[in-house]
Amino acid sequence: MAVVPLSLRVASGASTSTSLDWPRHLAARGSPARSRRSLRARARADAGAGTEDVLAHIVRTIRSAKAAGRDPDFFELLGVQVGTDPTAIRSSYRERMRVAHPDVAGSEGHEACVVLNEAYATLMDDELREAYQVERVFGAGVRGMSGLRDAQDLPSDIGAALRRTPYTGEPLSKVVGRDHFASKIETNEQAAKACFVDEITCIGCGQCSTYASGTFRNEQENGRARVFGQWLSTEDEIQEAIDMCPVDCIHWVPKEQLAPLEYVMQHVLRDRAVFGKSPGDVFAKTAKFIAAIQKATETENNL
């Protein structure tokens, strides 16, 4: 089953002079600071307005974020989108480093390079990038709702859930590291996805826990299935459980969407077991949850 988704080169500037003015050339070689100043001036002149615009944007992004008390957007700094492959990230980083190198851009270049290096190190590491993407989507303040003054402006069911149980941004099912002895992850493709049960649709048949007992459990409260632990069964076992489910309530989802889906399922739609009451579609409700959290966080950051 497919994963269910919930979106200058600086010119060399080589001199064409054929003069053999030895004293002048030797003086230039003997003065590194003078050479660096000449390099900066020549590079800036050769690069043109486009280079200056890129550097100005980088510095402005960094300083604006600092003034707002937050970190700059690493994707924006490197000029890439979420999901950009590492090769493109590396290429964009190198272009910006040529523009922002201190020997070319001076003190502003140093300021920019420090943050560009941090952004590059984060986005080139799979685990760091994944954690950063989650933090970027929900905002640092969303973890535990510590960044929001209250939940009054959120939809009533979402606000009520957050007042009862803070959202941490972490999955509610058990997640073990890839190097853990119990983990059945074998490929990067597997590591990028997770298993989720739509408990609204589930009828509690118990088939899934039969085929993949390490992954699924039936809740005692309502008898419906729930993922106990991610990747504690092989992909073949989990897929067999999915295929044998009579109501198609088990889904592969992108790993970064697991936490909000599980929170909405277990806390926002907690009245799902009430007979005759339809709490709605968990995927649609989770999309509204993410949008509401983002809006509330942006409002709080602008205060």
Side-chain angles (χ1 to χ4, degrees):
M1 178 176 285
V3 174
V4 181
L6 274 178
S7 125
L8 294 154
R9 174 180 176 183
V10 177
S12 63
S15 174
T16 57
S17 172
T18 58
S19 170
L20 294 180
D21 187 350
W22 289 107
R24 183 179 301 170
H25 288 152
L26 291 174
R29 290 184 179 179
S31 177
R34 186 174 176 182
S35 297
R36 286 194 295 270
R37 286 195 298 270
S38 298
L39 174 61
R40 286 197 294 268
R42 187 168 66 246
R44 282 175 169 165
D46 290 342
T51 296
E52 294 177 0
D53 289 345
V54 171
L55 178 62
H57 176 72
I58 293 171
V59 173
R60 185 168 58 250
T61 299
I62 294 171
R63 292 176 180 175
S64 297
K66 184 176 181 179
R70 55 181 172 78
D71 293 328
D73 189 310
F74 287 171
F75 289 96
E76 181 181 359
L77 280 179
L78 293 181
V80 298
Q81 302 293 323
V82 175
T84 300
D85 67 88
T87 301
I89 293 176
R90 182 182 297 108
S91 176
S92 185
Y93 164 76
R94 288 175 175 173
E95 289 180 0
R96 280 159 170 71
M97 287 299 289
R98 283 196 289 269
V99 171
H101 194 283
D103 283 349
V104 175
S107 59
E108 285 190 342
H110 175 74
E111 178 183 359
C113 282
V114 170
V115 185
L116 285 172
N117 284 332
E118 181 183 0
Y120 179 70
T122 298
L123 299 189
M124 288 298 289
D125 182 278
D126 291 342
E127 292 185 1
L128 291 177
R129 182 176 63 253
E130 181 180 319
Y132 178 75
Q133 287 181 189
V134 172
E135 200 71 33
R136 179 177 180 268
V137 170
F138 299 107
V142 176
R143 304 179 77 84
M145 293 298 290
S146 60
L148 302 180
R149 298 186 178 186
D150 54 55
Q152 295 178 1
D153 294 332
L154 295 169
S156 59
D157 53 350
I158 293 175
L162 290 168
R163 284 188 286 269
R164 288 192 306 266
T165 308
Y167 175 69
T168 67
E170 298 294 334
L172 300 179
S173 54
K174 184 179 181 64
V175 177
V176 299
R178 187 169 177 174
D179 57 348
H180 191 278
F181 74 92
S183 174
K184 306 301 182 184
I185 296 177
E186 297 178 343
T187 67
N188 291 334
E189 182 180 3
Q190 291 175 340
K193 64 183 181 180
C195 191
F196 171 74
V197 174
D198 177 359
E199 298 176 34
I200 297 171
T201 305
C202 179
I203 59 174
C205 68
Q207 292 271 36
C208 56
S209 57
T210 298
Y211 291 102
S213 58
T215 297
F216 301 99
R217 299 282 192 279
N218 279 66
E219 290 296 297
Q220 293 183 352
E221 181 182 355
N222 53 43
R224 302 183 185 189
R226 179 177 293 174
V227 174
F228 163 75
Q230 297 292 332
W231 291 105
L232 299 183
S233 305
T234 66
E235 182 168 23
D236 287 343
E237 291 170 337
I238 297 172
Q239 189 60 54
E240 187 171 14
I242 292 173
D243 294 339
M244 295 304 295
C245 176
V247 292
D248 295 328
C249 69
I250 309 172
H251 306 273
W252 290 115
V253 299
K255 187 178 178 180
E256 63 271 15
Q257 294 176 9
L258 180 64
L261 278 167
E262 290 186 333
Y263 180 88
V264 169
M265 187 75 266
Q266 297 182 38
H267 296 296
V268 178
L269 301 178
R270 68 176 190 166
D271 295 329
R272 61 194 177 279
V274 177
F275 181 76
K277 182 176 181 179
S278 176
D281 179 87
V282 63
F283 292 97
K285 179 64 73 173
T286 299
K288 292 180 180 179
F289 172 78
I290 293 173
I293 289 294
Q294 289 177 319
K295 182 179 180 180
T297 305
E298 290 171 359
T299 300
E300 176 67 17
N301 287 338
N302 290 332
L303 293 179

